Amino acid sequence: MYAVAAGRVSTSNYGLGGKIVWLTANNGVGYYYAHLNGWNVSNGQSVSQGQVIAFNGDSGNAKGGSPHVHFELHPGGRGSSAVNPYPTLATACK
């Protein structure tokens, strides 16, 4: 998994998401990556956009299922409501 923006990450391994990374972008937007196999960053580390931060997996309540990433976009930062990330990703990938 790649950092969609430059910012700071926090990692954890518990609950429904299993191994997760929260990326708080420098502009305050929050990005949540869950069900990971592991990460390539340290808790609190600053990252650059495009940097490898984690690896696809099936942790948490996805254990035993198809490896995938649960990805959320939180425009107001961590703790704010998530919005559908597809339009943002589709625009960025053009």
Side-chain angles (χ1 to χ4, degrees):
M1 302 294 120
Y2 298 95
V4 297
R8 187 169 304 277
V9 295
S10 64
T11 60
S12 62
N13 183 13
Y14 67 90
L16 298 176
K19 294 180 181 177
I20 67 164
V21 171
W22 267 102
L23 167 59
T24 302
N26 291 338
N27 64 2
V29 176
Y31 301 94
Y32 174 78
Y33 303 73
H35 307 308
L36 305 170
N37 184 44
W39 40 81
N40 195 39
V41 292
S42 299
N43 197 36
Q45 180 179 335
S46 291
V47 297
S48 301
Q49 183 178 21
Q51 181 176 339
V52 174
I53 59 172
F55 305 101
N56 202 19
D58 67 347
S59 62
N61 68 352
K63 191 69 173 168
S66 297
H68 68 282
V69 63
H70 177 112
F71 181 76
E72 295 181 4
L73 169 63
H74 296 255
R78 189 173 178 169
S80 69
S81 296
V83 299
N84 182 354
Y86 182 78
T88 301
L89 293 172
T91 299
C93 294
K94 285 186 179 180

